[in-house]
Amino acid sequence: MTASTVRDFHHASFHGRIGIARVDITPPVGISARNWGAAKHDVADSIHRPLTLTAMTLATTPGEQTMVYLDADLGGWKTPQTFRNMQTRLLEAFSLTSANLIFALSHTHSAPLLMEPDESLPGNEIHQVLMKSLYESAIRVVKEAQSSTFEATLDWHQGRCSLASVRDLPDPNPEKQRVICGYNPDVVADDMLVFGRITDTKGQIRGTLVNYACHPTTLAWENTAISSDYIGAMRETIQATTGVPALFLLGACGDLAPRYQYVGDHAVPDRHGRQLGFAALATLNDMEPSGTRLAYAGVVESGAPLAVWKHESRAISQVLRAREVIVELPLKNWPTTDELEQQRMACTDRALQERLSRKRDIRRFLGDGSTFPLPVQVWRIGDAVLVGCCGEPYSRLQQELRSRFPDHTILCMNLINGSIGYLPPADLYDIDTYAVWQTPFDRGCFEKTLAAMTQAIFDILTD
């Protein structure tokens, strides 16, 4: 074997102009923050961890079209239209196409829902201040990121973290033919962590990114505080070592959550966050120096023939592309908006009322059509590809995409540019399970999304 036949080792990388900025978006106590049907409170009465909004801008050279990534410690948009209203204003403010903006949510279940005015809710006035200030904060933080760009290299590396577990558990009660939402010890979860390191031309780390799939549902109905769930402690853990901002990219976690969750004890999400943060730092310390490849350099004859590998500089991709593709997903034949509202009004169960309210709002947005045009965002960032949508696909999607593109780093994301519903695999539609009950999408939605993402990744890699 010669040096020319030995594969080198290098990270998926991008070299260009990167900007990073962060702002605090924590709302005051008293805001409407009831996210769990089982909750007995309606407003937040304290702050566990602050919520932040972080902007990252990407461009090949100064003055080129910018791609904007927003990382928000927020839970979800009550309706897709609420996000579209925000998106329209941001696109106009920065002269962006929809393909070049990703507004990503951490999906913490301990933050207020993003919604239009609702005078029936306590804390509504505070909520409207939040919505106004969120837009203003997004404008401010993107401008700050754009005005402070620097020449940098973004490298990606794969690691592992066992925080996530599969949360589809067959009900142990033999009289209940259903799947309940909680830790299933008999199924192995996808534990892939993809870590990003941003390094400037002086070799200094300027930012990090963590792509990981796990529902931030540690804190539940007993928690009355605003919290970023495990993401806050994850950021704190990484930043304490690196001294630079840590961004979060929520993976395809439709079926994944912490093993121990649904608690009110704030020490638990902090422990979870440290677990993910330490795993991310371990991945960082497993990376090669920025801008290099580890190449086979020959043999040194010693007590054994020793294969010598050395770092060599390498050319780094400056390719930056963004696309938005539409996949038509089948919709269920749900009751009308009026019928769902009548069901909600007649319901006396507080938890079921909450489900029906959310279902009603989604139905109102979807209208009476038989399909929904789901936007899929695809970014090529050098050697890596980021792909995601506003739905919540099961982790099987990211595993399948990685297997279809084994020579590339694939970053999958849930809940970007809106939030609407789960995308469960077709076989689950024969089972009584929450993800199927909740989603407006009919059987085949997962498979159509997977096919569309596969084609979109192929196209953006071969352009």
Side-chain angles (χ1 to χ4, degrees):
M1 180 178 289
T2 64
S4 62
T5 63
V6 180
R7 231 170 11 105
D8 70 2
F9 178 86
H10 63 271
H11 302 299
S13 304
F14 163 75
H15 188 81
R17 303 290 301 185
I18 298 178
I20 304 172
R22 174 171 289 166
V23 64
D24 190 296
I25 56 170
T26 311
V29 297
I31 194 169
S32 178
R34 180 171 178 264
N35 296 317
W36 297 85
K40 292 182 170 55
H41 67 282
D42 291 304
V43 300
D45 61 10
S46 59
I47 309 292
H48 165 229
R49 282 188 176 273
L51 310 181
T52 63
L53 178 67
T54 310
M56 178 179 69
T57 61
L58 300 165
T60 52
T61 57
E64 291 292 319
Q65 173 70 279
T66 299
M67 288 156 61
V68 176
Y69 179 86
L70 286 167
D71 164 23
D73 285 332
L74 294 167
W77 304 87
K78 191 168 185 181
T79 70
Q81 188 59 48
T82 304
F83 169 73
R84 290 191 179 182
N85 294 339
M86 175 73 74
Q87 179 189 43
T88 298
R89 298 173 70 192
L90 292 175
L91 294 179
E92 290 176 354
F94 295 107
S95 301
L96 293 172
T97 65
S98 58
N100 283 58
L101 172 68
I102 289 180
F103 197 122
L105 305 182
S106 69
H107 200 33
T108 172
H109 283 49
S110 297
L113 275 175
L114 302 169
M115 60 186 181
E116 303 303 325
D118 186 345
E119 295 182 358
S120 68
L121 295 177
N124 174 61
E125 298 83 2
I126 303 175
H127 213 120
Q128 298 325 301
V129 173
L130 168 67
M131 294 301 293
K132 180 176 183 294
S133 65
L134 179 61
Y135 169 74
E136 294 170 347
S137 294
I139 295 294
R140 184 166 71 254
V141 78
V142 172
K143 285 183 176 179
E144 184 179 340
Q146 288 179 328
S147 66
S148 58
T149 64
F150 52 93
E151 186 178 351
T153 297
L154 169 56
D155 297 305
W156 298 98
H157 191 43
Q158 293 181 353
R160 300 285 177 183
C161 180
S162 61
L163 173 62
S165 68
V166 172
R167 69 173 195 171
D168 282 356
L169 174 68
D171 195 325
N173 184 344
E175 296 180 1
K176 301 282 190 179
Q177 297 297 310
R178 63 177 183 176
V179 170
I180 56 179
C181 197
Y183 171 48
N184 186 338
D186 296 323
V187 184
V188 177
D190 179 11
D191 64 353
M192 178 72 75
L193 178 162
V194 186
F195 185 84
R197 179 191 62 195
I198 298 170
T199 311
D200 64 21
T201 54
K202 295 180 180 179
Q204 297 297 309
I205 297 178
R206 301 286 294 272
T208 64
L209 304 97
V210 177
N211 176 217
Y212 188 69
C214 183
H215 259 87
T217 47
T218 313
L219 296 174
W221 56 89
E222 294 178 350
N223 172 57
T224 57
I226 291 170
S227 175
S228 51
D229 205 274
Y230 70 78
I231 292 102
M234 178 213 75
R235 294 189 200 278
E236 180 181 78
T237 301
I238 298 171
Q239 291 167 180
T241 296
T242 63
V244 298
L247 284 78
F248 183 62
L249 297 81
L250 181 68
C253 62
D255 57 332
L256 302 181
R259 183 174 64 245
Y260 181 49
Q261 59 176 338
Y262 308 145
V263 302
D265 181 359
H266 294 159
V268 181
D270 287 351
R271 190 163 64 244
H272 288 167
R274 288 192 295 272
Q275 179 183 355
L276 179 56
F278 289 138
L281 288 172
T283 308
L284 168 62
N285 282 275
D286 187 43
M287 297 180 75
E288 307 303 327
S290 180
T292 70
R293 66 188 186 111
L294 189 61
Y296 176 69
V299 176
V300 170
E301 298 293 344
S302 183
L306 305 178
V308 178
W309 292 70
K310 293 184 178 181
H311 289 117
E312 298 177 353
S313 62
R314 71 181 187 94
I316 302 173
S317 173
Q318 294 183 292
V319 176
L320 201 58
R321 298 193 184 108
R323 285 187 176 178
E324 180 180 82
V325 299
I326 302 297
V327 52
E328 292 288 340
L329 296 187
L331 291 173
K332 293 175 181 173
N333 185 24
W334 271 7
T336 65
T337 301
D338 288 342
E339 289 169 339
L340 288 168
E341 174 60 10
Q342 290 171 9
Q343 291 178 26
R344 187 192 70 83
M345 293 290 290
C347 180
T348 58
D349 182 280
R350 187 173 166 90
L352 186 54
Q353 273 187 341
E354 183 68 22
R355 289 188 186 182
L356 289 169
S357 173
R358 297 182 187 185
K359 196 170 184 177
R360 173 206 62 197
D361 292 338
I362 292 174
R363 178 56 161 158
R364 180 180 292 128
F365 170 79
L366 294 174
D368 298 323
S370 60
T371 63
F372 174 76
L374 181 81
V376 170
Q377 309 297 132
V378 189
W379 283 9
R380 181 172 176 185
I381 309 171
D383 304 319
V385 176
L386 186 158
V387 61
C389 67
C390 62
E392 295 185 68
Y394 269 43
S395 59
R396 198 182 305 177
L397 179 133
Q398 61 190 21
Q399 291 174 303
E400 183 61 31
L401 288 175
R402 291 185 200 125
S403 70
R404 294 181 182 188
F405 298 95
D407 297 328
H408 295 86
T409 294
I410 306 297
L411 309 160
C412 293
M413 291 196 65
N414 279 3
L415 297 168
I416 63 173
N417 292 356
S419 49
I420 187 168
Y422 287 91
L423 299 176
D427 56 291
L428 294 183
Y429 280 76
D430 297 320
I431 302 170
D432 180 7
T433 183
Y434 169 70
V436 172
W437 185 96
Q438 181 271 354
T439 186
F441 302 120
D442 210 344
R443 188 192 303 265
C445 61
F446 175 93
E447 291 73 21
K448 286 182 177 292
T449 302
L450 174 59
M453 288 183 172
T454 300
Q455 187 62 51
I457 293 171
F458 177 81
D459 290 343
I460 209 165
L461 285 173
T462 55
D463 276 353

